[in-house]
Amino acid sequence: MGVHRIGLVVPSSNVTVETEMPALLNRHPVSAFSFHSTRMRMHQVSAEELAAMNAQRERCVMEIADASPDAILYACLVALMVGGPGEHQRVESAVAEQLAAGGSDAIIRSSAGALVEALRAMDAKRIAIVTPYMRPLAEKVVVYLEAEDFTVVDWRALEVADNAEVGCIPGDRVMDAARSLDLTDVDALVLSCCVQMPSLPLIDDAEREFGIPVLSAATAGAYSILRGLGLSASIDGAGSLLRADLASVPA
């Protein structure tokens, strides 16, 4: 089997998704992957900088398409959710048209759409989320998810505006925020509703501690890419979402 090329369109100050996505997909028991990034300038996680970053999308898509990826992930969740309900569908459709016009048959996914897809795959209706964003942006994320028919029972905003600092938020701060949530009758916890806030080492332990499915923007992105490429969700150590097909993989 050949190597699946994964293209990542990321904010210029992001580092976490380029760490966690290879860590996730390279654990796959039967498939191999390579990773290739293109960057959109962004430093402060604000509505103004996110709009300016999104304006760079077409250039970045053309650049990453030159690497002939099999799948492209638009890896900034809040950049799309700040655009209002349904924005991930609009952007994914626009990128798909751009790719097709350029002769690329890469599949396109976004972190925003992947989270919605993963929560639906888990049959999660009532959710709780932890975000690194300032409250006004976090509120837009809540509105976005509720427009997709999820009930956000409780949520936390760590209020870190500098995107480089988001990539350095310690795991104990993320877990403290999660422990402060009301998880009564919650179907799933999104431990990091952002691909830049590190959480991968926390996912399994959090599932055991809270007794509910736990996912992140990164694990949802990995799940969506695997499903989009027709591959099994069979990655251990990253929560129940990515163990969905583990039993079907030959030992």
Side-chain angles (χ1 to χ4, degrees):
M1 181 179 294
V3 175
H4 299 282
R5 290 184 189 169
I6 308 301
L8 300 170
V9 181
V10 299
S12 57
S13 47
N14 271 31
V15 293
T16 304
V17 70
E18 291 162 298
T19 304
E20 293 191 348
M21 196 60 66
L24 281 163
L25 293 180
N26 284 335
R27 293 183 206 167
H28 199 275
V30 296
S31 300
F33 302 88
S34 65
F35 301 89
H36 315 275
S37 299
T38 184
R39 315 190 87 75
M40 307 172 287
R41 295 300 302 280
M42 189 271 275
H43 294 285
Q44 295 291 313
V45 190
S46 65
E48 295 76 21
E49 284 212 27
L50 290 169
M53 185 191 75
N54 284 331
Q56 303 166 54
R57 185 188 73 225
E58 291 190 10
R59 170 188 61 80
C60 288
V61 169
M62 286 190 292
E63 289 179 357
I64 201 65
D66 288 346
S68 300
D70 299 300
I72 296 172
L73 179 68
Y74 195 85
C76 186
L77 180 141
V78 72
L80 297 193
M81 290 195 178
V82 75
E87 182 70 2
H88 73 273
Q89 294 170 322
R90 291 189 287 272
V91 169
E92 288 175 11
S93 293
V95 173
E97 288 180 12
Q98 184 184 353
L99 290 168
S104 170
D105 59 1
I107 64 167
I108 175 68
R109 297 291 187 268
S110 67
S111 295
L115 183 60
V116 171
E117 177 187 355
L119 288 167
R120 287 183 177 147
M122 302 172 90
D123 198 27
K125 305 281 196 303
R126 294 168 54 82
I127 64 174
I129 67 174
V130 178
T131 83
Y133 312 124
M134 304 303 287
R135 286 190 67 88
L137 288 180
E139 288 167 354
K140 287 181 179 293
V141 170
V142 172
V143 168
Y144 196 99
L145 291 169
E146 294 204 322
E148 294 288 340
D149 295 327
F150 303 108
T151 299
V152 181
V153 175
D154 203 0
W155 57 278
R156 293 291 177 272
L158 300 185
E159 298 202 88
V160 179
D162 184 283
N163 200 44
E165 288 183 22
V166 171
C168 300
I169 294 173
D172 57 0
R173 186 177 177 193
V174 178
M175 287 300 292
D176 285 347
R179 292 181 182 116
S180 75
L181 292 164
D182 180 3
L183 298 177
T184 307
D185 296 325
V186 164
D187 300 319
L189 166 64
V190 185
L191 192 60
S192 177
C193 206
C194 170
V195 294
Q196 171 70 341
M197 185 166 74
S199 68
L200 183 55
L202 310 174
I203 300 290
D204 257 10
D205 288 344
E207 279 202 346
R208 284 188 286 269
E209 177 174 339
F210 300 124
I212 57 175
V214 176
L215 70 163
S216 70
T219 62
Y223 177 87
S224 185
I225 287 169
L226 290 171
R227 285 289 190 245
L229 293 174
L231 303 174
S232 60
S234 50
I235 296 170
D236 208 0
S240 53
L241 171 69
L242 287 169
R243 289 195 297 271
D245 303 322
L246 201 57
S248 67
V249 177

